[in-house]
Amino acid sequence: MIEKDGLKQRMSVFFNKAKNILNKVKIKEHINKVTEAKLLTRLVSFLKNISWKSPKTIGISALSVIILGAGIFYLSTTVSAVGITVNGKNIGYAQNKTEAEQIVQEVLQKHGEVSGQVAHTNDKIEYEKARIKKDEYAANKISFALLLNAIIPYINACGIQIEGQTVVHLADTKQADLVLTKYKEYFTKPGDKNVVDSAEFEEEVTKVAVKVHPSDIISVDEALDFLLKGDAAETEYTIQKDDSFWLIARKHNMLVDEVLAANPGFTEDTIIQPGQTIKLAKIEPFLTVISKGTKVVKEVIPFDVQTVTSTKVAAGKSVVQQAGKDGEKEVTYKYVEKNGKTLEKTVVKEEVLAKPVKQIIAKGPAVKPVYVGTSRGSGAVYGLQWPLSGRITSYYGYRSRGFHTGIDIDGVTGQPYYAATAGKVVLAGYVGNYGYCIIVDHGNGVATRYAHSSKLLVSVGDQVKKGQNIGLVGSTGKSTGSHLHFEVIVNGSTVNPLNYLP
Ligand SMILES: [Zn+2]
């Protein structure tokens, strides 16, 4: 009995130790409850029975205690885990399948973040139950970063194709549609004063379902920017004498803003020196929008200029007797535009909002004809034609910069201009502010002047026909950009050319 009691006592101590270990194991390693319960039941039954067992039984039981002890030791040094394999390669272990699946889900979510979707993968992901050593588990615990690298994701996206060529990938069809709508609006600028009837792409544009890596997805704004910039071919340009940003832009059929944009840090006030090189990036958008609609715009009605001779004014001088004031009209027109540039324009309605006020200039008696060699006469001339077709950028008369002796017609350097009517060239050369200029005498005291040319194609004494190309538009002399300054001179004094042009 004493021996039995002693054994019972030792067993009881062992039992408590075992229970402690089990508790620790349970807390730390989440040993499954069934295993724990089984162990405890076996221990309890062993202790219950020990008092009436024979020494042989005790011996056998002691052996089972050793086995149990070894079992407890095994359980305390190992853990049950779930191994995650990607395409057959073990990436690490999670506590259980729930944790493993959750981390895979998180990785796919992270991969798809950019598109606002959960990414998918074609990789074969498998979960395998395992019992591994605690230190092995600690060393191979699954990490988010590791799994992120191991899984190759894809998402179901929408590609925009131009003429069968995929150019951008958006997260979904809705975003692709938004890009195309915004692209059209960028050029059509719909609004109260601009009713767009139709806006179609000249190119064939299609949307296709694609499976792509999430990093191939771009945002609506990025896609829009990309499509608008198109194939921006960058070139270098060397600044010439008398160049300005405006002139450089005109030479390259660009906008000043485009020239500045290609040269970070540049503003319109940046001083450029001849010989300096700057970058030019010509913007050619990927898509061409052909739009049709109706626009209502306000347009200036330039004032007329009437010249009267007054003896009260000193010879050769002129004063404003009545200030001129531009009028204004509201014009409604139907248009066809290509990427915002007018192709066709038909005026359907015109309403004068304010009538222009005539400018009256009083001139003193002429001292002598200012213009070399022109004829004197009645001033009658018929059928003048426009020397250049283009927007009038400055009218005749007193303008903000002082008295403007002709009209400025917008043009591009190198563009040909034509004789307004037949006549004889009486001047062809460089004349101060006028730069390279030509004067053609048409008889009857009427002459025309063409200024700021880049090149003259006639010489003094030449007879020119109406509509003959006599020079090329430029920006020589006192000029802020390529244009043709055109004057009509009657008996040595300039008159408003608009009164002579159709
Ligand atoms: Zn001018």
Side-chain angles (χ1 to χ4, degrees):
M1 277 310 279
I2 296 163
E3 201 187 28
K4 234 191 245 176
D5 283 345
L7 183 61
K8 198 173 178 179
Q9 208 179 342
R10 270 184 278 146
M11 278 297 117
S12 163
V13 171
F14 184 81
F15 169 77
N16 280 331
K17 273 189 183 167
K19 204 177 170 188
N20 274 341
I21 291 168
L22 278 173
N23 277 336
K24 276 186 199 159
V25 167
K26 189 174 74 181
I27 293 158
K28 280 191 181 169
E29 315 294 356
H30 300 264
I31 274 196
N32 96 38
K33 283 211 153 61
V34 182
T35 316
E36 185 198 3
K38 270 184 197 163
L39 275 167
L40 283 172
T41 317
R42 291 189 69 179
L43 266 169
V44 168
S45 72
F46 167 74
L47 290 165
K48 269 185 192 166
N49 297 335
I50 208 156
S51 53
W52 47 266
K53 290 272 169 72
S54 68
K56 194 184 170 191
T57 320
I58 291 165
I60 292 163
S61 298
L63 189 67
S64 17
V65 167
I66 291 161
I67 294 164
L68 278 172
I72 288 163
F73 176 77
Y74 172 72
L75 286 174
S76 68
T77 54
T78 62
V79 286
S80 85
V82 164
I84 304 171
T85 60
V86 176
N87 298 328
K89 190 181 170 231
N90 182 284
I91 306 300
Y93 292 95
Q95 280 176 7
N96 47 47
K97 201 180 174 194
T98 313
E99 194 199 42
E101 283 174 340
Q102 195 186 328
I103 197 164
V104 167
Q105 193 63 15
E106 279 168 12
V107 160
L108 290 174
Q109 241 162 34
K110 178 73 189 167
H111 271 314
E113 212 171 51
V114 63
S115 64
Q117 310 172 20
V118 177
H120 307 274
T121 181
N122 281 320
D123 292 336
K124 196 176 177 193
I125 300 172
E126 288 167 303
Y127 309 101
E128 272 167 28
K129 270 193 168 182
R131 181 137 205 120
I132 55 167
K133 282 184 181 164
K134 275 166 82 174
D135 51 355
E136 197 190 330
Y137 175 78
N140 295 294
K141 175 88 173 135
I142 187 73
S143 97
F144 184 81
L146 222 58
L147 195 60
L148 196 72
N149 271 327
I151 293 177
I152 298 170
Y154 73 84
I155 64 163
N156 293 311
C158 180
I160 294 180
Q161 286 192 341
I162 300 173
E163 304 288 0
Q165 201 82 27
T166 307
V167 283
V168 282
H169 298 121
L170 279 299
D172 51 42
T173 317
K174 228 171 115 181
Q175 290 200 19
D177 282 335
L178 191 58
V179 169
L180 297 175
T181 306
K182 282 190 167 193
Y183 190 96
K184 284 178 179 174
E185 282 175 2
Y186 178 87
F187 289 114
T188 57
K189 296 183 175 62
D192 290 352
K193 303 275 183 188
N194 176 19
V195 180
V196 181
D197 296 331
S198 68
E200 302 297 335
F201 292 117
E202 209 170 47
E203 299 82 4
E204 190 200 349
V205 180
T206 43
K207 284 168 288 172
V208 286
V210 283
K211 287 187 195 310
V212 291
H213 193 279
S215 64
D216 289 341
I217 295 295
I218 57 173
S219 73
V220 171
D221 286 346
E222 284 169 335
L224 189 63
D225 196 51
F226 178 77
L227 293 177
L228 287 171
K229 279 211 178 116
D231 295 314
E234 211 168 73
T235 54
E236 277 197 342
Y237 172 78
T238 307
I239 309 288
Q240 309 290 304
K241 192 174 169 282
D242 297 327
D243 256 348
S244 67
F245 285 123
W246 198 85
L247 186 55
I248 294 164
R250 289 309 308 262
K251 279 181 187 170
H252 298 89
N253 200 14
M254 292 169 73
L255 299 173
V256 171
D257 282 349
E258 289 172 342
V259 175
L260 296 175
N263 296 276
F266 276 39
T267 69
E268 268 184 90
D269 299 326
T270 303
I271 293 165
I272 42 174
Q273 304 285 355
Q276 185 186 346
T277 55
I278 62 164
K279 286 198 174 74
L280 295 176
K282 185 144 167 46
I283 313 266
E284 273 176 18
F286 273 113
L287 286 166
T288 317
V289 182
I290 302 290
S291 59
K292 292 177 184 175
T294 309
K295 265 185 197 176
V296 181
V297 293
K298 284 194 174 136
E299 281 180 8
V300 166
I301 310 173
F303 57 75
D304 281 337
V305 182
Q306 194 187 353
T307 314
V308 293
T309 312
S310 168
T311 46
K312 287 173 190 158
V313 180
K317 303 276 178 197
S318 65
V319 292
V320 179
Q321 214 167 55
Q322 179 181 295
K325 196 168 178 287
D326 288 335
E328 194 182 35
K329 60 184 173 182
E330 193 178 71
V331 184
T332 307
Y333 63 88
K334 288 205 171 293
Y335 65 84
V336 180
E337 284 178 354
K338 183 176 178 174
N339 275 2
K341 291 195 178 95
T342 311
L343 288 184
E344 283 172 40
K345 195 169 157 180
T346 319
V347 175
V348 288
K349 202 178 123 192
E350 248 189 33
E351 196 186 333
V352 175
L353 303 175
K355 281 188 177 171
V357 178
K358 193 194 281 180
Q359 185 180 72
I360 302 171
I361 310 285
K363 278 191 171 181
V367 199
K368 56 174 178 171
V370 186
Y371 306 97
V372 214
T374 50
S375 62
R376 314 277 300 164
S378 65
V381 67
Y382 302 100
L384 289 196
Q385 72 162 53
W386 284 83
L388 176 71
S389 68
R391 197 165 57 92
I392 297 179
T393 51
S394 184
Y395 291 96
Y396 178 79
Y398 277 97
R399 296 283 152 186
S400 57
R401 284 180 157 186
F403 194 83
H404 192 221
T405 52
I407 55 169
D408 289 347
I409 308 168
D410 203 12
V412 179
T413 293
Q415 197 178 345
Y417 63 80
Y418 311 94
T421 192
K424 186 182 167 195
V425 177
V426 290
L427 188 148
Y430 198 93
V431 186
N433 289 347
Y434 286 112
Y436 283 105
C437 85
I438 295 169
I439 294 178
V440 180
D441 186 353
H442 307 292
N444 275 347
V446 180
T448 49
R449 184 198 294 268
Y450 312 79
H452 308 308
S453 316
S454 57
K455 199 176 181 192
L456 305 179
L457 304 176
V458 291
S459 310
V460 173
D462 285 357
Q463 282 291 334
V464 296
K465 290 177 185 155
K466 176 179 174 178
Q468 182 181 327
N469 177 199
I470 54 173
L472 305 179
V473 174
S475 188
T476 54
K478 193 183 173 190
S479 166
T480 51
S482 316
H483 72 280
L484 176 68
H485 171 93
F486 176 67
E487 286 178 6
V488 176
I489 305 156
V490 176
N491 288 325
S493 291
T494 60
V495 294
N496 189 353
L498 291 184
N499 295 335
Y500 289 82
L501 290 168

